[in-house]
Amino acid sequence: MAGKLVVNTVRVITALVFIFSGFVKAVDPLGTQYKINDYLTALGLDFLVSDMITLPASMLISAFEFCCGVFLLFALRRKLVTRVVAVFMAVMTLFTLWIVVDNPVSDCGCFGDALVLSNTETFLKNIVLMIFALIMCRYYEYLVSAVRRSAQWVVINYTVIFIFVVSGYSLYFLPQFDFRPYYVGADIKKGMEIPDDAETPEYETTFVMERDGVKKEFKLENYPDSTWTFVENKTVLIKEGYEPPIHDFSLILYNTGEDITDEVLSDSNFVFLVISPYLEKADDSNFGEIDRIYEYAMEKGYSFYGVTSSGDKAIERWRDITGAEYDFCIADAITLKTIIRSNPGLVLLHDGKVVGKWSHNSLPVFDASDKAMEQILIDSIQQKSVVNKVFCMLLWFFLPLVLLTLTDRSYNIHGWFKRLFSKKNTNTTDTLENK
């Protein structure tokens, strides 16, 4: 009895970890894709694998983890699932051992942006899960199934469909849960503050410029004149110290090299930012809606900027295709991908606070009444906490499964009573016949 309790306790813990890990990655498929690309870059294989492969891989990995967690929790196909989990954990344990030794990335990304673990913490976590997986694999018959075998296909299909719908929705629109520091309601200025007694880290931004086929690097203080063509910029940490949640937000005007970060964050009015980490890869199918928002902003006297890490050619091409008249700012690509999971995406700031974020697939419509702007401000203040959002989403998933389980158990109880009364009636009939 004690052994059965231990195995099922291990099963629940492992299942919850897998469910959490898979879910937080599923709601941010682009974030998981970025992490896969980081690994490929570290291995020198990034040129071999395109985004057309890494994005589906991102969705498959998160779905696999989530489904394994649910199947463990409900003890479905116990022998097969426990063996699959054991093999998976063996691979991941070896993988995280490599991460600890070589340190190719600072964060493994196993829990997305929801929970950041060091490489050593991730390795230790995987060792524990590996032990748990071996226990379950050895004593899989001890796992108590919550659903009859004949009804397990319903849970399996529902789980697979649910997690892919979640990923697809997050990919087309925006992640339902924003675990990054630029969430709606975040105060960017406050997020950049450093305590008075904290040691300040130092960053250095280098601009790669080109003239007459010659590339040269410049610092902000010696930014060259317009005869040089911008290629890219790089921001690196040169001295460690206290790192605030937001430490790399800066906006440099494309044409002049002027730093307008403070101006934008101090603007007590609305500021629109059309963000595209890479204009070369940006979806230009909705540029008409972006232009209408730009015209609305100009009518109202609101600031409007395009923000990218791309160079001159990409910016000019975007202007040629879309007819964009707004000024562009240069920012770090990683920062832009952190701010919004859409290329392009629209971010609305008000007094340095993020009050709205939209994918290019779901751009807002503004009118002269300003009711939409007022509602955006109200919504940003009344944002639900991440914990509440996660709880609601999981409730949407688990409530139908719990009802299914109760129905299944009720059917079992009904069948038991039916067999019991049938047996009693048979015994009574036999007794009367004997008399």
Side-chain angles (χ1 to χ4, degrees):
M1 186 66 181
K4 201 170 188 177
L5 178 62
V6 170
V7 174
N8 281 280
T9 301
V10 163
R11 183 255 302 209
V12 172
I13 294 173
T14 306
L16 293 179
V17 171
F18 267 71
I19 290 171
F20 178 72
S21 176
F23 181 76
V24 296
K25 287 202 284 285
V27 296
D28 187 12
L30 282 179
T32 307
Q33 180 193 25
Y34 296 152
K35 184 57 65 175
I36 293 174
N37 288 336
D38 289 343
Y39 283 120
L40 291 173
T41 301
L43 292 168
L45 301 175
D46 51 311
F47 68 95
L48 291 176
V49 185
S50 69
D51 290 346
M52 296 295 290
I53 296 176
T54 55
L55 183 56
S58 161
M59 299 176 71
L60 286 171
I61 290 171
S62 57
F64 174 81
E65 287 190 58
F66 184 83
C67 290
C68 282
V70 173
F71 299 164
L72 276 179
L73 190 63
F74 285 84
L76 311 179
R77 303 293 192 270
R78 298 173 299 178
K79 186 176 181 180
L80 174 62
V81 172
T82 53
R83 288 184 175 182
V84 169
V85 169
V87 171
F88 178 75
M89 286 313 308
V91 173
M92 293 309 298
T93 301
L94 292 174
F95 184 72
T96 50
L97 176 60
W98 165 66
I99 295 176
V100 170
V101 174
D102 279 4
N103 194 35
V105 294
S106 58
D107 165 35
C108 76
C110 55
F111 295 123
D113 291 305
L115 179 61
V116 178
L117 300 178
S118 68
N119 292 338
T120 301
E121 290 171 339
T122 302
F123 178 61
L124 295 176
K125 179 261 297 180
N126 283 351
I127 289 178
V128 173
L129 291 179
M130 181 69 220
I131 294 172
F132 286 178
L134 292 175
I135 292 173
M136 290 186 295
C137 197
R138 172 64 180 81
Y139 301 103
Y140 69 89
E141 67 274 7
Y142 286 179
L143 302 183
V144 180
S145 182
V147 183
R148 290 182 305 124
R149 189 174 182 84
S150 59
Q152 289 182 7
W153 67 272
V154 178
V155 180
I156 293 172
N157 291 338
Y158 178 78
T159 301
V160 173
I161 292 172
F162 173 86
I163 200 62
F164 276 111
V165 167
V166 167
S167 281
Y169 181 93
S170 300
L171 185 62
Y172 188 80
F173 297 100
L174 288 177
Q176 299 96 314
F177 309 102
D178 196 343
F179 301 108
R180 300 174 302 281
Y182 297 95
Y183 57 89
V184 172
D187 188 330
I188 296 179
K189 291 183 294 184
K190 188 174 181 180
M192 296 171 69
E193 291 177 356
I194 299 176
D196 295 335
D197 58 347
E199 187 175 353
T200 307
E202 294 182 11
Y203 295 89
E204 185 176 70
T205 300
T206 302
F207 299 90
V208 180
M209 312 293 286
E210 183 178 5
R211 186 173 67 180
D212 299 329
V214 178
K215 291 183 180 180
K216 188 176 179 181
E217 294 186 352
F218 295 88
K219 302 294 187 296
L220 186 60
E221 56 269 19
N222 65 335
Y223 196 88
D225 56 37
S226 58
T227 61
W228 289 83
T229 302
F230 174 83
V231 178
E232 63 176 342
N233 70 303
K234 299 177 288 186
T235 301
V236 296
L237 177 68
I238 58 176
K239 180 183 176 183
E240 292 188 356
Y242 172 80
E243 187 171 271
I246 299 175
H247 57 271
D248 49 7
F249 182 85
S250 66
L251 300 174
I252 309 298
L253 272 178
Y254 159 65
N255 289 326
T256 64
E258 179 187 357
D259 189 337
I260 62 169
T261 307
D262 291 337
E263 177 186 334
V264 168
L265 295 181
S266 301
D267 196 330
S268 59
N269 220 329
F270 291 100
V271 178
F272 289 89
L273 301 178
V274 175
I275 294 178
S276 172
Y278 305 107
L279 281 173
E280 301 89 338
K281 300 179 180 180
D283 189 321
D284 58 12
S285 59
N286 297 305
F287 71 86
E289 295 179 46
I290 294 175
D291 288 344
R292 280 192 288 272
I293 295 173
Y294 168 71
E295 292 170 1
Y296 167 82
M298 294 301 97
E299 290 175 4
K300 294 294 183 180
Y302 303 148
S303 297
F304 193 106
Y305 299 99
V307 189
T308 185
S309 69
S310 296
D312 290 21
K313 291 182 180 179
I315 293 176
E316 294 307 321
R317 180 179 178 275
W318 178 263
R319 284 176 169 168
D320 290 340
I321 293 174
T322 66
E325 298 178 359
Y326 41 85
D327 291 330
F328 269 90
C329 296
I330 303 301
D332 182 69
I334 295 176
T335 302
L336 299 183
K337 289 190 288 187
T338 303
I339 293 174
I340 192 167
R341 301 299 204 209
S342 179
N343 188 16
L346 180 67
V347 175
L348 182 62
L349 303 181
H350 183 269
D351 198 23
K353 298 181 178 67
V354 180
V355 295
K357 293 169 72 170
W358 299 271
S359 161
H360 63 85
N361 292 313
S362 59
L363 293 170
V365 176
F366 300 104
D367 55 43
S369 67
D370 279 342
K371 289 183 179 179
M373 305 300 285
E374 294 173 5
Q375 189 60 46
I376 286 170
L377 282 176
I378 294 172
D379 291 344
S380 70
I381 296 172
Q382 298 177 344
Q383 278 288 307
K384 289 183 180 180
S385 69
V386 171
V387 174
N388 288 338
K389 287 182 178 180
V390 171
F391 175 77
C392 291
M393 178 62 76
L394 292 180
L395 187 65
W396 274 103
F397 173 71
F398 280 109
L399 186 58
L401 292 187
V402 170
L403 292 176
L404 172 65
T405 302
L406 292 177
T407 302
D408 183 67
R409 290 301 178 192
S410 298
Y411 179 83
N412 282 347
I413 294 173
H414 172 73
W416 182 80
F417 276 112
K418 186 176 181 180
R419 289 191 297 272
L420 178 64
F421 284 114
S422 176
K423 186 176 181 180
K424 285 184 177 180
N425 291 335
T426 302
N427 291 339
T428 302
T429 302
D430 291 343
T431 302
L432 290 175
E433 288 178 355
N434 290 334
K435 288 182 177 180

